[in-house]
Amino acid sequence: MKRWILTSAVLALAACSSPSDSEETAPKEAPAVDTSRRVLAEEAPGGIVVDFKDGTTKAEFDAWEAEWGVDLEFNSVEGQRTGVTIAQGVENVDAALARILQNPAVESAEPLRIYSVPPGEAAVTDLDSSLEEDSKDGYTPNDPDYPKQWNFRMIHMPSAWKESRGKGVVVAVLDTGIAYEDHDDFKQVPDLKGAKFKKGYDFVNDDEHANDDHGHGTHVAGTIAQVTNNGQGVAGVAFEATLMPVKVLNHFGSGTSADIAEAIRFAADNGANVINMSLGGGGYSKVMADAVEYARKKGVTVVAAAGNAGRPRVEFPAAYPGAVAVAAVGPGGSRAPYSSYGKELDIAAPGGDKRQGDAGGILQNTIDPREPSRSVYAAYQGTSMATPHVAAVAALLYAEGAKGPDEVEKALYAGAKRVGEQAWTEEYGHGLLDAQASLNALGGGISRWPSMWWALALLALVLLTMRGRERPGYLNVLVRPSFLVPLVLATVGVFFARSWFGGASGVAGDVVDAAFLPIPDWQRIIFGRGKVANPLFYSSLIPLLLSFLAIKFKGLRSAIGGLALGFAGFLAYAAWSKAPSLAWMPFHFLALPWLVVNTFICLIIARAMLRKETAA
């Protein structure tokens, strides 16, 4: 059944795709959109996907099929747990979906969509040129073709490798599979011999051997964790990480929204810390959006390619809330002409630009798509190649103690090299990936919680500016739970909540997510994840409003003082790191003075709350 769906979809995609093997051509303009319902090229003709509530049995939905006029089957063996089912040959998709959606056991139902490897990324080659070494003060692997990996030096891997190599972190690669084993006609590529693998799954053929018959997935996996310093071939970013091969794309490079959604849940439920999806183009799918949300709530960082259409629109799944959307740059650090961009973009990373020749591509060991048992070293280009750089650096951050997606993203964005003066742009997101700077942003010891240390430094400043009789005393302030607890909540949050209650869902999950974040970042839970922060939360407004309560209830003064100091530390660090862009600002440069002014207002509030009353 899946082969029938995918074959039809590939023919549809071929009709609207460029046959070029390069992404240097001018991007196509988006077609005019009419409001009538039509079968899109990215939809499998007559295919639907229905996501039932977990626990719905086949006997139950078999009883409803006659009324709906469809023949549903679990999408895979995993479907019996996830509730994801598909049907083919549906004559009237809209009418069937309208009936199905009325059933309370249905979480979502929609046309079955097709996602794929972006065209023009593969090009088998033997590179004979290299870029100059620049790793005087870093770890230099002995892989003979490492000098050709300009992309690793662009993101400062030699110095980053001295701190982290991803040990103990699991990265799931949802792609065409990985050449990770010798099985039947499939062979492991030589430069993955010795790499660590965790059991994955093949959702295309419904078996446990997620082998690559295309080449794209192995190339992506190589960027993440190609065996390094083995005297052979090339290096990988997080070469001590563990790869989980999950095949969701067939040998044509196409796969269904049902397979991808199930694979996301599979990876999240089976120990993945990071999910890499170098695929896209299938339009919005609620089934997949729900799966991304599920993974994020399980504490998994989801990284996806922005797309290769070269237009101002980030493709799905990268555009879903909860996914890190990645654009591509060439060797010069400028956005590659094929790379899509837009308001959903998060970060840019090396993806290659072969207008400069093969040396401008991303080199890794993979298979020859014409003969899957044959190993080659290939230079590819695309946002598919940029995405695993970000996923691998996320693995480095987890290995260094990052506690979840929020902390990983904060470090990625704080460490990104800005392109221009603005903190965030549609072309580069928060900037160009920098592995070393992101590790520094995550830090260790004091620098792990910079907002907290800013708050304590500002507390010392406040106390020093008070007259002796007004000053409450340094240690007296710090040992009061009524002061210290609000300060901690406003700077680092209840950082252990996710590890204790990370499996919670629904309202309980939202409460855990909020508690895990500093109070100013609760705006992410209230308003949803975005690329800009709400200026009402990134301000002195909350401490200011609460300070009025202290006029009548003087017992609250210590707590409000701690909260105000916490906000001051958070805002001061945000201003110093130039991390956020703020909503509603007519000009981006106004964000910095806004943060500085509100930091001082919080300090004034804290000083008033902490001051001891003295006799006249």
Side-chain angles (χ1 to χ4, degrees):
M1 178 171 65
K2 290 183 183 179
R3 290 191 179 92
W4 181 90
I5 292 172
L6 291 175
T7 301
S8 301
V10 167
L11 293 174
L13 285 169
C16 64
S17 300
S18 169
S20 171
D21 64 353
S22 171
E23 294 176 346
E24 298 164 18
T25 57
K28 298 179 182 178
E29 293 187 6
V33 178
D34 67 54
T35 56
S36 61
R37 176 74 171 87
R38 66 195 190 285
V39 177
L40 303 176
E42 66 264 17
E43 292 181 8
I48 65 172
V49 53
V50 180
D51 184 9
F52 289 101
K53 291 181 178 179
D54 293 355
T56 303
T57 65
K58 188 176 189 306
E60 287 176 308
F61 65 73
D62 278 348
W64 303 324
E65 288 178 340
E67 177 188 348
W68 294 342
V70 300
D71 181 15
L72 289 169
E73 298 291 341
F74 282 122
N75 180 63
S76 70
V77 174
E78 284 291 306
Q80 299 178 34
R81 182 177 57 84
T82 65
V84 176
T85 64
I86 60 173
Q88 62 170 318
V90 180
E91 293 185 2
N92 190 329
V93 169
D94 287 342
L97 290 176
R99 292 190 293 269
I100 292 170
L101 285 167
Q102 295 177 18
N103 191 301
V106 174
E107 291 188 341
S108 60
E110 61 194 17
L112 186 63
R113 294 187 178 276
I114 302 298
Y115 294 77
S116 64
V117 169
E121 290 189 337
V124 176
T125 185
D126 292 315
L127 298 184
D128 57 7
S129 60
S130 64
L131 300 180
E132 184 180 354
E133 287 276 10
D134 66 348
S135 51
K136 293 180 181 179
D137 299 318
Y139 174 86
T140 303
N142 64 11
D143 306 73
D145 285 332
Y146 167 70
K148 301 173 185 177
Q149 293 182 289
W150 58 267
N151 43 311
F152 284 11
R153 294 185 294 283
M154 174 179 278
I155 63 173
H156 300 129
M157 284 313 306
S159 53
W161 278 325
K162 294 197 301 181
E163 297 185 33
S164 180
R165 299 169 187 178
K167 187 173 183 178
V169 180
V170 177
V171 182
V173 179
L174 275 58
D175 213 291
T176 60
I178 301 177
Y180 71 104
E181 65 172 353
D182 294 336
H183 175 70
D184 292 339
D185 294 332
F186 297 102
K187 302 296 180 184
Q188 184 181 49
V189 295
D191 221 355
L192 282 178
K193 291 186 184 299
K196 300 180 183 69
F197 294 97
K198 187 176 178 67
K199 185 177 179 181
Y201 196 78
D202 180 349
F203 284 89
V204 175
N205 300 297
D206 290 334
D207 63 44
E208 296 181 351
H209 298 280
N211 292 291
D212 191 0
D213 51 9
H214 181 281
H216 188 271
T218 302
H219 194 284
V220 167
T223 296
I224 296 169
Q226 202 100 78
V227 176
T228 301
N229 207 44
N230 63 342
Q232 176 173 324
V234 292
V237 173
F239 56 86
E240 291 185 359
T242 299
L243 293 167
M244 178 189 289
V246 186
K247 185 174 177 64
V248 296
L249 306 178
N250 65 10
H251 64 283
F252 293 114
S254 296
T256 69
S257 52
D259 280 347
I260 297 169
E262 278 202 303
I264 294 170
R265 290 175 177 266
F266 171 87
D269 289 340
N270 286 276
N273 304 104
V274 183
I275 292 174
N276 186 98
M277 290 192 286
S278 292
L279 49 85
Y284 179 82
S285 163
K286 187 177 186 304
V287 175
M288 198 184 301
D290 290 346
V292 171
E293 181 182 5
Y294 175 87
R296 190 177 179 87
K297 284 185 177 294
K298 295 274 288 188
V300 180
T301 296
V302 179
V303 187
N308 291 348
R311 59 187 176 186
R313 190 180 76 186
V314 174
E315 295 181 358
F316 297 104
Y320 294 130
V324 177
V326 184
V329 302
S334 298
R335 182 178 65 84
Y338 55 79
S339 178
S340 294
Y341 56 98
K343 62 183 181 180
E344 301 89 359
L345 190 66
D346 288 297
I347 197 168
D353 184 354
K354 293 177 68 175
R355 292 180 301 174
Q356 304 177 27
D358 288 337
I362 304 298
L363 178 65
Q364 296 296 159
N365 188 200
T366 186
I367 63 169
D368 185 339
R370 298 161 297 188
E371 187 180 340
S373 62
R374 178 173 175 259
S375 166
V376 296
Y377 285 88
Y380 288 15
Q381 68 173 14
T383 54
S384 287
M385 283 59 258
T387 302
H389 288 80
V390 177
V393 173
L396 301 183
L397 292 168
Y398 275 116
E400 283 300 292
K403 302 301 182 185
D406 290 315
E407 193 167 335
V408 166
E409 289 175 22
K410 187 173 183 179
L412 286 173
Y413 305 155
K417 180 182 178 182
R418 300 253 166 72
V419 181
E421 296 298 322
Q422 298 179 356
W424 177 89
T425 67
E426 287 197 358
E427 285 195 281
Y428 299 95
H430 292 275
L432 177 59
L433 178 70
D434 187 323
Q436 178 60 60
S438 292
L439 286 166
N440 290 343
L442 178 69
I446 287 180
S447 61
R448 187 176 294 278
W449 296 338
S451 297
M452 168 73 84
W453 307 120
W454 272 89
L456 295 178
L458 292 172
L459 171 62
L461 176 65
V462 166
L463 295 177
L464 286 171
T465 59
M466 289 182 179
R467 291 184 298 178
R469 289 188 298 170
E470 296 176 335
R471 189 181 302 140
Y474 294 87
L475 294 178
N476 290 341
V477 171
L478 288 175
V479 298
R480 289 185 200 165
S482 61
F483 171 84
L484 192 57
V485 170
L487 186 146
V488 170
L489 290 176
T491 52
V492 298
V494 184
F495 52 89
F496 50 81
R498 186 69 60 77
S499 61
W500 286 6
F501 306 107
S505 59
V507 175
D510 289 340
V511 171
V512 170
D513 286 342
F516 180 75
L517 297 170
I519 292 175
D521 271 340
W522 287 6
Q523 53 99 18
R524 297 189 192 182
I525 305 300
I526 298 171
F527 299 104
R529 171 184 170 271
K531 307 304 175 291
V532 294
N534 188 298
L536 298 181
F537 276 74
Y538 275 56
S539 75
S540 57
L541 179 62
I542 293 175
L544 182 62
L545 292 177
L546 291 175
S547 68
F548 290 111
L549 293 175
I551 297 173
K552 184 175 181 180
F553 304 103
K554 293 187 178 181
L556 296 176
R557 291 168 64 92
S558 178
I560 296 171
L563 185 72
L565 250 303
F567 265 77
F570 184 94
L571 298 176
Y573 174 66
W576 177 78
S577 65
K578 299 179 182 178
S581 295
L582 299 180
W584 312 330
M585 294 285 169
F587 302 103
H588 286 281
F589 69 83
L590 292 176
L592 183 59
W594 172 271
L595 294 169
V596 172
V597 168
N598 279 277
T599 297
F600 278 107
I601 294 174
C602 286
L603 288 177
I604 293 170
I605 296 170
R607 193 176 189 277
M609 294 297 105
L610 295 178
R611 188 175 58 206
K612 288 168 49 178
E613 295 184 4
T614 59

